[in-house]
Amino acid sequence: MLDVRRLVLLRDLAAHGTVTAVAELHGVTPSAVSQQLRLLEDETGTRLLERTGRSIHLTAAGEQLAGDTEHVLTALEQAQDRLHTAVGEPTGALRLACFPSALAPVAAPLGEALEGTHRSLRLHITEAEPEAAVRLLLQRRADIALLYRYTNLATPPYPGVETCVLRTDPLVAVLRDDHPAAGPAGNPVDLRELADTPWISAPPQTACGDAVLQACRSVGFTPQVRHTCTDFSAMIALAASGGHTVLVPRMAATRLPPALTARPVTDTTLTRTIEAAVRHGTAHEPAIAAGLTALRALGDSTTDTAQDSTPAAGTSHLTANPQTKNLNSPRPSSPSLSSQR
C-alpha cells in the first residue's frame, strides 16, 4: 500500500516544480521532502524522478502517478462524505481560510450562525490572502476558502477549485467631511475630482493597488500616492489624520472615524466580488455544504438590510453568479459553484 502523504508530496512537486516550494507548502525542510520522495520510489519500485544537477523533474511514470493521486484523494474524500452523510448531522471541524477584511463581517458571523444550527460542527478560521487560501484548500488544510476578485482586473481563475459568488463589494471613496469632492450625502464621486489630492493606496502589484491605479488611469490621471500600506484600517486612520484620499472596499469602511465619510464612486467597475471556493467535488460533503449554506444565508441577510438602506450606504449585495453551473446531483441546500480547473 502506497503512503498517501508521500503521494501528496509527489502531486505538489508536479504542481509547483521544486522541492523547496513543496517544503515551504508543508512547513518542512527540503531534505525531508527529498527523503520521502526517495522512499516513495522504493515503495513503487519505479523511477519517479530525474535529477539533473540541482534540478529535479518527474519522469513519465512520476507524472502519471501524480495525476492518479488526485483520483485517490478524491476517492478518500468521497468515502468520508458517505460516512458523514450516514451520520446525518454535520460534525467535526470545518476549516475556513479567510482574507483579512472579511474576518469581522463574514467569518465571525459565520461562526455564530453555525454554532446556532449545528452544535457538533466546529469552525476553525485561518487568515490568508486568496492565493495562500487556495494553496491551503488544495493541500486539504482548509475546506472552504473565501476569495476576492477585482472586476476591473483580468484575474485568472484558480485551477482545481469550484467557486460561487457570495456578494459584491464596491469600492468607496473615504474622504474628510470637508473635502470638496464629498458633496451632499449620497452623491457619487467622480475619480477625476480627486486627481489633485494626495492619496493613500495599497502597494503596486497588489490586487487593490492595481485595481485603484487602473481605475484612475482609465479616467486620465495617475494618483499622487503619499502613503502605501496593505491594512485598510491603517489607511482609514491615515486618511482621518492627514485628509488624504483613499479607496477601500465598502466591507472595510463600515466603522469610520467621525471626521470621515464614505461616498460611492461613479465608476461602477470599481468593485470586487467575494467568492467561496472549495475543492472540486467536495461541495456536498455535509460540513462543507453546511458552511456554504450559512455563508449564502449571511449574504441574503446582507441583501435584505441593503434594500432598506439609502443608496449612499453602498452595502454589499449577494448576487447569483450568471456564469455558475450546478454540480452533478446537486443537493437543495448547496449553492451552485462554477468549476475552475
Side-chain angles (χ1 to χ4, degrees), residues 29-210:
T29 63
S31 60
V33 173
S34 296
Q35 180 184 29
Q36 292 301 310
L37 291 174
R38 283 193 293 268
L39 290 173
L40 182 60
E41 286 187 308
D42 292 341
E43 283 181 330
T44 61
T46 305
R47 190 161 64 96
L48 304 174
L49 306 171
E50 291 179 340
R51 298 171 178 84
T52 306
R54 295 186 176 182
S55 299
I56 188 169
H57 305 282
L58 272 65
T59 64
E63 293 281 1
Q64 180 177 338
L65 184 57
D68 289 341
T69 296
E70 282 299 332
H71 301 301
V72 171
L73 296 175
T74 298
L76 289 173
E77 285 186 330
Q78 289 173 345
Q80 185 179 32
D81 182 15
R82 288 191 292 270
L83 182 63
H84 288 169
T85 301
V87 173
E89 176 68 15
T91 61
L94 176 65
R95 300 162 299 175
L96 175 74
C98 178
F99 58 91
S101 60
L103 288 170
V106 180
L110 175 63
E112 185 177 358
L114 290 176
E115 183 178 343
T117 56
H118 303 289
R119 294 282 183 178
S120 299
L121 192 60
R122 301 185 309 276
L123 181 66
H124 295 268
I125 301 169
T126 299
E127 179 182 320
E129 288 288 345
E131 288 189 6
V134 170
R135 285 199 300 269
L136 292 173
L137 200 61
L138 295 178
Q139 293 164 18
R140 289 166 171 78
R141 294 164 61 189
D143 303 305
I144 302 175
L146 285 182
L147 315 176
Y148 57 76
R149 190 183 307 276
Y150 286 87
T151 54
N152 68 338
L153 299 178
T155 306
Y158 294 101
V161 303
E162 298 170 339
T163 65
C164 66
V165 174
L166 298 173
R167 64 179 70 177
T168 58
D169 188 21
L171 270 69
V172 294
V174 176
L175 308 168
R176 289 279 289 267
D177 288 329
D178 56 1
H179 193 290
N187 278 18
V189 174
D190 189 317
L191 293 182
R192 284 169 289 200
E193 299 179 67
L194 308 174
D196 297 326
T197 61
W199 284 62
I200 304 163
S201 179
Q205 282 75 58
T206 63
C208 184
D210 288 348

Side-chain angles (χ1 to χ4, degrees), residues 218-260:
S218 70
V219 296
F221 75 96
T222 298
Q224 304 172 25
V225 177
R226 183 72 57 82
H227 306 302
T228 60
C229 61
T230 58
D231 185 284
F232 292 139
S233 297
M235 289 182 183
I236 291 170
L238 289 169
S241 63
H244 304 327
T245 296
V246 60
L247 292 185
V248 297
R250 181 70 205 181
M251 185 182 287
T254 54
R255 292 180 177 85
L256 296 178
L260 296 180

